[in-house]
Amino acid sequence: MSENLLEVKDLEVIYKTDQKTVHAINRIGFTLQRGETLGIVGETGAGKTTTGLSILRLLPERTGHVVGGSIIFDGTDLMKLSEEEMRSSIRGERISMIFQDPMTSLNPVMTVGEQIAEAIIYHSESDKSSSEVEARVDEVLEMVGIPAFRKKDYPHQFSGGMKQRVVIAMALACEPELLIADEPTTALDVTIQAQVLAMISELRDRLGTAMIMITNDLGIIAQICDQVAVMYAGQLVETGTLEDIFVKKEHHPYTVGLFGAIPNLNEETDRLSPIDGLMPELLKLPKGCFFAERCPHCMEICKSVPPKAHVNGTHRITCHLFTSKDE
C-alpha cells in the first residue's frame, strides 16, 4: 500500500462562460500521506477553495472544468470515476469537506440529527436499524461537544460556532480517510475559533484522518499542519514542511510578504505592511512570473519567462531569484 493517500499532478482548472475563461488553477501538484495535514495558504482568490472542490469533483457543473492533470486518491484516479461512483463511494464516506460557511451548508427545514443521519444511512455498507443510526448520530454530536438531545433542533436554533460543530460532525460521521477543511473558522470569533481548531486537531489525531486545511491565516497553519503549500494566482509558489516555511531563511517573495503582513505584538507600528498591488487578472495571465508586478525583487527575466522550481530537500520554491543560483 502506498504511503501517499492523495497525489495531485499538474492539475489545471478553468471557469468558462460564453464570454470569458478564468484560469483558476494552473498546473499544481502535491502529495499527502496518510494521517498527515497539509495547509494551503494564500490570498482570497488564489484558488484554494477551487483546489478542494476539484478533489471532490464539486466544481460548478456548467462553468467549472478540470482541463488537465490527475487526482489520485489511494491509487484511484478520481477524474476517471463516474458521478455515481463519486457520490456512493468517495464523497462523505472516504473524503469529506467542511465548507466555509455553516449557514449555507445546513438545510434549514431538517433537524441537525436528520441531516447527520442522512449521511450515515447513505454510506452505510449494511442496513443499519433506526436505533443504530440514532446511536451513531448521538455519538458524533457528543464527539464535537454538542449534547445528543439537541439532535432534534433545527440549524437556526444554534449559534455560529455550534453550527460549525454540526457541520464537522456531518463531515466526520463516516470517519473519512481525508478531510478537507475550507476556512472552517472564518465566520467565528477568536475564542470559538480556537475551540473549533483544537477540536478538529483532536478528532484528526483520534481517527487518524489526513487533512487539507485551506486558510489565509498563517497562525492556523503553524498550529495544526505538517506540510505547507503557498498558493498565488492558481499556482503553488512555495511548498515544504512546517519547518521549511516557518524556520528556514530562504522564501518566495510572496511568502515573505505574507509573513510581513502579520502584526508583531512586540513592536509598535502605525500601519501593517501589506503586499502592494493586486493579483493578476486570471482572464489573461502574465507570460512570466505571476507575482512579477508586485515583487520587490522583480528582474527582466521575471516578466517574460515562467520560473522553474528550486528544490532543497523537502523545500520547493518557484522563483527566478533561486533558480538563477542553481545555474
Side-chain angles (χ1 to χ4, degrees):
M1 182 182 292
S2 172
E3 288 187 357
N4 290 332
L5 178 66
L6 180 70
E7 298 179 40
V8 176
K9 302 177 182 178
D10 295 326
L11 182 66
E12 289 186 77
V13 178
I14 63 171
Y15 291 108
K16 188 173 183 178
T17 66
D18 293 338
Q19 288 79 32
K20 56 189 178 181
T21 299
V22 175
H23 299 273
I25 302 293
N26 301 286
R27 299 181 67 85
I28 69 168
F30 58 86
T31 61
L32 182 66
Q33 295 186 357
R34 299 172 190 279
E36 189 175 60
T37 299
L38 168 70
I40 303 180
V41 64
E43 291 172 280
T44 297
K48 306 184 300 297
T49 296
T50 296
T51 301
L53 293 176
S54 299
I55 294 170
L56 273 172
R57 302 250 310 268
L58 286 175
L59 292 170
E61 185 177 350
R62 296 181 180 274
T63 57
H65 308 280
V66 176
V67 294
S70 60
I71 302 170
I72 311 297
F73 176 72
D74 197 19
T76 300
D77 190 344
L78 298 183
M79 301 310 302
K80 295 181 179 179
L81 296 182
S82 67
E83 176 61 23
E84 175 58 31
E85 288 172 320
M86 284 294 299
R87 186 167 56 246
S88 63
S89 61
I90 298 296
R91 293 193 200 115
E93 182 175 350
R94 302 188 67 192
I95 306 176
S96 287
M97 188 165 183
I98 301 171
F99 293 95
Q100 188 168 351
D101 184 3
M103 297 288 289
T104 58
S105 301
L106 296 170
N107 189 330
V109 298
M110 293 175 65
T111 67
V112 297
E114 288 172 338
Q115 296 183 59
I116 297 171
E118 189 176 46
I120 296 169
I121 294 169
Y122 188 81
H123 294 290
S124 177
E125 293 182 358
S126 58
D127 293 332
K128 288 189 175 182
S129 65
S130 58
S131 60
E132 290 176 318
V133 172
E134 288 291 312
R136 180 58 181 162
V137 170
D138 294 349
E139 182 183 354
V140 293
L141 282 174
E142 295 284 355
M143 186 169 62
V144 297
I146 297 176
F149 70 84
R150 296 210 61 186
K151 66 186 176 185
K152 296 182 180 180
D153 290 344
Y154 290 85
H156 73 271
Q157 295 174 274
F158 291 84
S159 66
M162 294 291 271
K163 284 191 185 78
Q164 192 62 279
R165 289 171 184 262
V166 171
V167 171
I168 293 169
M170 291 173 63
L172 295 174
C174 297
E175 298 190 1
E177 297 163 61
L178 172 61
L179 177 65
I180 302 172
D182 184 9
E183 302 195 34
T185 59
T186 298
L188 308 178
D189 63 64
V190 176
T191 303
I192 302 302
Q193 186 178 102
Q195 292 176 5
V196 170
L197 285 175
M199 181 187 65
I200 291 174
S201 299
E202 192 272 329
L203 294 173
R204 174 202 61 188
D205 296 339
R206 189 199 309 174
L207 300 175
T209 303
M211 184 164 69
I212 296 176
M213 172 61 74
I214 296 171
T215 182
N216 51 24
D217 189 335
L218 285 165
I220 292 175
I221 295 289
Q223 185 176 340
I224 66 174
C225 295
D226 305 303
Q227 303 287 330
V228 184
V230 182
M231 180 169 271
Y232 181 79
Q235 289 186 331
L236 296 183
V237 296
E238 184 171 357
T239 59
T241 64
L242 195 65
E243 182 181 2
D244 291 334
I245 304 302
F246 281 82
V247 178
K248 288 188 177 179
K249 294 183 178 180
E250 289 188 338
H251 295 293
H252 190 282
Y254 179 61
T255 308
V256 174
L258 291 179
F259 277 106
I262 300 174
N264 189 334
L265 297 180
N266 297 319
E267 295 180 7
E268 184 174 341
T269 181
D270 294 330
R271 293 180 62 86
L272 298 178
S273 301
I275 304 172
D276 293 332
L278 299 171
M279 275 196 301
E281 179 59 65
L282 297 180
L283 295 171
K284 189 177 180 181
L285 292 166
K287 291 182 179 179
C289 174
F290 293 175
F291 190 61
E293 291 298 320
R294 306 174 71 185
C295 182
H297 307 287
C298 181
M299 304 175 286
E300 280 303 313
I301 190 175
C302 301
K303 299 177 182 179
S304 57
V305 180
K308 295 180 180 179
H310 164 74
V311 181
N312 180 12
T314 56
H315 196 189
R316 182 184 182 94
I317 306 173
T318 305
C319 180
H320 285 298
L321 278 176
F322 302 98
T323 52
S324 60
K325 298 176 184 178
D326 297 336
E327 298 173 353

